[in-house]
Every structure is written in structure tokens, then in C-alpha cells.
Amino acid sequence: MLKVTKFGGSSMASADQYRKVRDIVLSDPDRRVVVVSAAGKRDKHDHKITDLLYLCYAHTRYGVDCGQVFDMITSRYLEIRDELGIKLDLETEFADLKTRLDEKSVTQDELVSRGEYFSAKLMAAYLDFQFVDAADWVKFRMDGSVDQESSYACLRRQAVGRGLVTPGFYGLMPDGQIHTFSRGGSDITGSLAAAALNAKVYENWTDVSGILMADPRIVDNPQAIPEVTYDELRELSYSGAQVLHEGAIFPVREKNIPLNIRNTNAPNDPGTMIRERFDQDSDPDRFITGITGKKDFSIVSMTKRGMSGQVGVLRSMLTVFERHGISVDYTPNGIDNVSVVVPTESVAPCLYHILAEIQQEVKPDTLDVHDQIAVVAAVGRKMAFRPGISGKIFAALGEAGINIRMINQGPDELNIIFGVDNRDFQKAIRVLYNSFAK
Ligand code: ASP
């Protein structure tokens, strides 16, 4: 059985990190396919190589010399190489790249892809694995989507024998040009490699011990989530938490391959396991998987007496939002009233038009707008059909003196969503975390 391991930018940032990656890969003979990002930040004042490459491109585009930035890039890789005693000529390739850059014969995508390319070259030499260029197996269609079938076949043909290292983030267009995914796209490459090779697991190694139960900027030292389903993950990321590139889910999910988020700096931590579903409940007392949320929503509420007996009131209200191209997040309602919850940023430019049109077309008895609302989501697959969870949530918030402005639960009972004042946002998350984390 084979495991695909992907190492993010912070895992590739320095010679020390390379040593950790090597220990991780060599400690398990199943870890035979390694996907790498470009070197990331060594500390918070440092720069990501990918950012520097974008900067180089911008310089040359405006006719400004990029020599200094280019030197920063080369020296990062040469330092890693020399500190680890890797025998590899990178100087010639860097010099060629610089010449092409000066001649303006390199595209932006090709240039920024070189961060991953050089990372993979170095790591392959360090592990004594085969280097397989992403341009030789990740195949894009002309519309920018990945041709999975031909990409998978290409990788399968090359993944023979001992281990291989391949760069993340880019592939080849049908016209032979290099094309990149959007930022953070090495996650997608790892997922494609895992799907192509029917891996037993896709390990995504980063610098946290998994997906955290709550935002660490709000809750001190939050626990990592041991197990999460793809549906829960979508809920968690929709309302705040950003862990993986969205495009990384589909290839592994389609093939039912579990995805394991791990920490390069704490390799013994089990991290977070993401699957379609968990047949065995390893932790029956854990009802809430994670707590997330976002600030700055507006609630547009209207009352119309007798509305429950009339046909089409809700539709005409929503039509107004649709006409202005505004996507509506939630629509909690009562018998004779309905509220529409939308991000303030999206509704602000046309709010007065919207209110005037609702007034005219729906003829409500009252119409109000409340701003400065935060939406908090408690996500958990095990809340379904389990009485008492929402009671516990609202009791905890009530005890903390937090006023709830709106409540919404999806029909699949995967989450309970509620609105609070922006100023209560952090407190609400902390209160829930403290009542549900174990
Ligand atoms: N290096 C690229 C970026 O920073 C891709 C990646 O690391 O996933 O966006």
C-alpha cells in the first residue's frame, strides 16, 4: 500500500525542515510519493518564495531590475542545498531562468512555478528518490480544468520503483505552456497524486496538528479535531476556518481516500482524519466537531400580517436581492415575518435600493435592518437526532449574557447557526468552546 505525502511551504522552508521531512518520509516505507510546495516563511518576518517570484515578475513587467529579489530566491535554495551537503547543480538552471526573465521570454505562471520545481529537485536528491516533473503528469485542458484521466495515467506510468518527489502547484496546458493552480494549489496536486495511485491515505503535512476546533486567535490553544467528515469540513470552511485548498477535496473524496492533516513539527500527533463518514464512533461523547463564524453581517427583517396565508411573499422578497446579484446566506422566519441575512459588504452599496424595492413590491408592515451581526456556527455530524445539544448551546450563551439575534439550523442537522452582535462574537466562540471541548 502506498501513502501520498504533501509538505507545505513551512515544512520546506529551511535545511532543518528538510531534515524533519526526510525523517517523516523514511520512517514509513509506504510513504513513497512526496509532493512539495515552494519554500515558505522561516519566521513571521520572512518571505514566501512564491511571493518573491510574483514580485520578480512584476518588476520585469514594469522594466525594473529584479536582480536583488532574484538573488534572495537563489540563495534560499543554495543555502539549503549546501547545509545538507546535497550534490546538485542548481546554478546553471537559475542562470538560465534569469536570462529568460531578462529577455521576457518566461510567462508569469512558469516563473512562479519554479519555487515548487526547485524544492522538488532538492528534496528528490536529498531523499534519493526519483524526480518527476509536474509538467510531465498534471495535464490541464484549455479551459484550465484538470484532465484527470490523462494526468492519472501519466503519473501511473512514471510511478514505478522506488519513491518519487513531484512539485505541487502547476502542470501543463495542451499548448505546452506551464499553468498554475490558484494560490495554495499544491494541496490539489497532492490530492490528484493520491487519487491517481489509489493511495491508502493522502497525508497533508503542515505546521499545525490538524484542523483546530476553534480559531486560535480567539481561543487559547484549541484542541485539534481528531475526525471530521467532508460535509462538516465544508461547513467549517464556509463560515471561517481555512485549512485546505477547496479544490483538494474532490479528487480524494471521489475515490474514498482518507485525508490526514499532520504536523511536520510534531510528527507523533495523529492530526485530523477527514473521511466521507466514520463507521465506528471513536469518541461518542464528542457532539460538536468545531466552532467557527464570521463577523459583519446585516439582517434585513420584515413583518407582513397574514403573510403565512399568502403565496409568494418570500419569493418576492428574495427576488429583490437576486436582482441586485446578492447571494443570501440565511433566511430565518416566523409566521408573519422573515429575515434575510447577508454579508454587510455585499449589500451595503445597494441597500437603499433594496429597501425601496421591498417596500414597493412586498408592501410589508415593518421593515428593519440590523448591522454589526456576527454569525457563529457550531458544526457536528453527531448533533443530528440528538436532543439537548441546542439546549446546551443556548443555555451556555444565556448564562454568559450573550443575546442571540437569529437562529438557523440546516435540515441535515449538521450545524446550528446563530447570530450575535459583533461585539459578542469572540465571547460566544469561547463560551461554546469551553462547554463542548473535552
Ligand atoms: N507555493 C504556492 C503558494 O504559495 C502553492 C502552495 O504552496 O500550495 O500559493
Side-chain angles (χ1 to χ4, degrees):
M1 277 303 227
L2 169 142
K3 293 180 181 171
V4 168
T5 54
K6 179 255 164 181
F7 291 89
S10 57
S11 307
M12 302 295 296
S14 65
D16 270 346
Q17 295 301 84
Y18 269 61
R19 289 191 190 97
K20 292 182 195 168
V21 170
R22 185 168 74 167
D23 289 347
I24 291 166
V25 173
L26 299 185
S27 68
D28 182 344
D30 287 346
R31 292 186 177 130
R32 275 178 302 172
V33 173
V34 180
V35 178
V36 293
S37 281
K41 295 183 186 189
R42 289 162 290 192
D43 56 60
K44 64 174 190 295
H45 308 291
D46 201 9
H47 301 289
K48 287 181 167 192
I49 291 294
T50 311
D51 292 335
L52 296 179
L53 287 162
Y54 276 108
L55 194 60
C56 267
Y57 190 78
H59 272 77
T60 39
R61 218 177 128 216
Y62 292 105
V64 181
D65 176 53
C66 71
Q68 241 181 334
V69 185
F70 196 83
D71 286 346
M72 281 165 80
I73 298 167
T74 26
S75 54
R76 273 288 278 289
Y77 286 104
L78 297 182
E79 247 171 53
I80 296 174
R81 179 195 69 181
D82 295 341
E83 201 179 321
L84 297 172
I86 300 168
K87 298 269 165 293
L88 188 68
D89 171 24
L90 292 179
E91 283 86 344
T92 317
E93 285 199 72
F94 274 121
D96 286 350
L97 183 61
K98 182 72 177 39
T99 313
R100 291 185 49 221
L101 189 59
D102 292 339
E103 288 167 353
K104 294 195 168 43
S105 65
V106 51
T107 64
Q108 171 168 285
D109 276 15
E110 181 180 356
L111 180 65
V112 301
S113 76
R114 296 304 86 184
E116 274 58 23
Y117 172 85
F118 287 114
S119 277
K121 279 241 141 159
L122 267 180
M123 189 52 83
Y126 188 47
L127 292 170
D128 193 22
F129 277 14
Q130 177 197 353
F131 167 79
V132 173
D133 194 347
D136 292 334
W137 73 273
V138 178
K139 307 284 179 193
F140 288 101
R141 298 194 191 89
M142 233 25 222
D143 65 3
S145 63
V146 174
D147 180 344
Q148 290 189 2
E149 228 168 278
S150 83
S151 304
Y152 291 178
C154 282
L155 185 62
R156 268 186 229 123
R157 269 198 302 278
Q158 295 176 76
V160 282
R162 63 188 216 284
L164 69 87
V165 181
T166 190
F169 192 38
Y170 70 95
L172 210 63
M173 290 294 269
D175 62 3
Q177 295 277 346
I178 297 259
H179 180 64
T180 61
F181 292 109
S182 55
R183 296 299 305 266
S186 299
D187 286 341
I188 308 177
T189 313
S191 181
L192 291 168
L197 304 172
N198 288 315
K200 135 166 122 181
V201 60
Y202 168 30
E203 292 179 342
N204 191 296
W205 291 82
T206 169
D207 54 3
V208 276
S209 290
I211 301 168
L212 302 174
M213 247 189 103
D215 187 335
R217 287 166 302 184
I218 300 176
V219 170
D220 266 349
N221 235 332
Q223 293 173 1
I225 302 171
E227 295 177 339
V228 61
T229 64
Y230 284 113
D231 288 334
E232 286 176 302
L233 185 66
R234 182 157 161 69
E235 298 281 347
L236 285 169
S237 351
Y238 181 72
S239 28
Q242 196 47 267
V243 231
L244 272 176
H245 192 296
E246 228 191 344
I249 306 289
F250 181 70
V252 278
R253 185 173 188 178
E254 194 183 37
K255 293 228 168 166
N256 211 4
I257 297 169
L259 200 165
N260 191 194
I261 313 273
R262 299 287 292 266
N263 187 352
T264 301
N265 305 318
N268 294 325
D269 289 355
T272 298
M273 193 57 102
I274 311 166
R275 286 179 191 269
E276 194 59 44
R277 60 169 182 278
F278 293 90
D279 292 331
Q280 264 163 12
D281 195 343
S282 60
D283 197 354
D285 304 329
R286 185 184 284 271
F287 297 118
I288 301 280
T289 306
I291 302 146
T292 87
K294 278 196 279 203
K295 282 169 57 165
D296 298 325
F297 283 84
S298 296
I299 305 187
V300 180
S301 312
M302 67 138 200
T303 320
K304 188 174 166 69
R305 272 187 295 283
M307 171 183 147
S308 55
Q310 294 173 28
V311 177
V313 180
L314 187 58
R315 183 191 46 75
S316 35
M317 171 119 170
L318 291 176
T319 304
V320 174
F321 286 88
E322 184 182 349
R323 203 182 292 138
H324 289 272
I326 290 175
S327 157
V328 166
D329 281 48
Y330 311 102
T331 52
N333 70 309
I335 296 179
D336 282 340
N337 53 55
V338 59
S339 300
V340 172
V341 184
V342 282
T344 306
E345 201 187 6
S346 71
V347 78
C350 46
L351 183 62
Y352 294 113
H353 290 286
I354 287 182
L355 295 178
E357 287 165 33
I358 295 176
Q359 202 61 268
Q360 205 174 26
E361 293 166 32
V362 192
K363 301 192 174 52
D365 295 309
T366 64
L367 182 60
D368 310 290
V369 184
H370 297 281
D371 282 334
Q372 312 264 339
I373 299 290
V375 168
V376 177
V379 178
R381 62 189 180 278
K382 286 186 274 176
M383 292 193 305
F385 315 111
R386 182 113 33 176
I389 303 291
S390 55
K392 193 172 167 193
I393 292 179
F394 297 123
L397 294 168
E399 260 164 53
I402 296 171
N403 184 26
I404 299 167
R405 307 289 300 265
M406 172 279 278
I407 300 176
N408 192 79
Q409 181 171 36
D412 48 8
E413 293 188 49
L414 203 58
N415 58 21
I416 294 176
I417 287 165
F418 55 90
V420 295
D421 286 336
N422 264 351
R423 62 169 185 277
D424 287 335
F425 175 63
Q426 304 212 341
K427 189 168 168 198
I429 291 195
R430 274 187 219 118
V431 165
L432 287 194
Y433 181 83
N434 293 333
S435 14
F436 284 99
K438 296 196 313 156

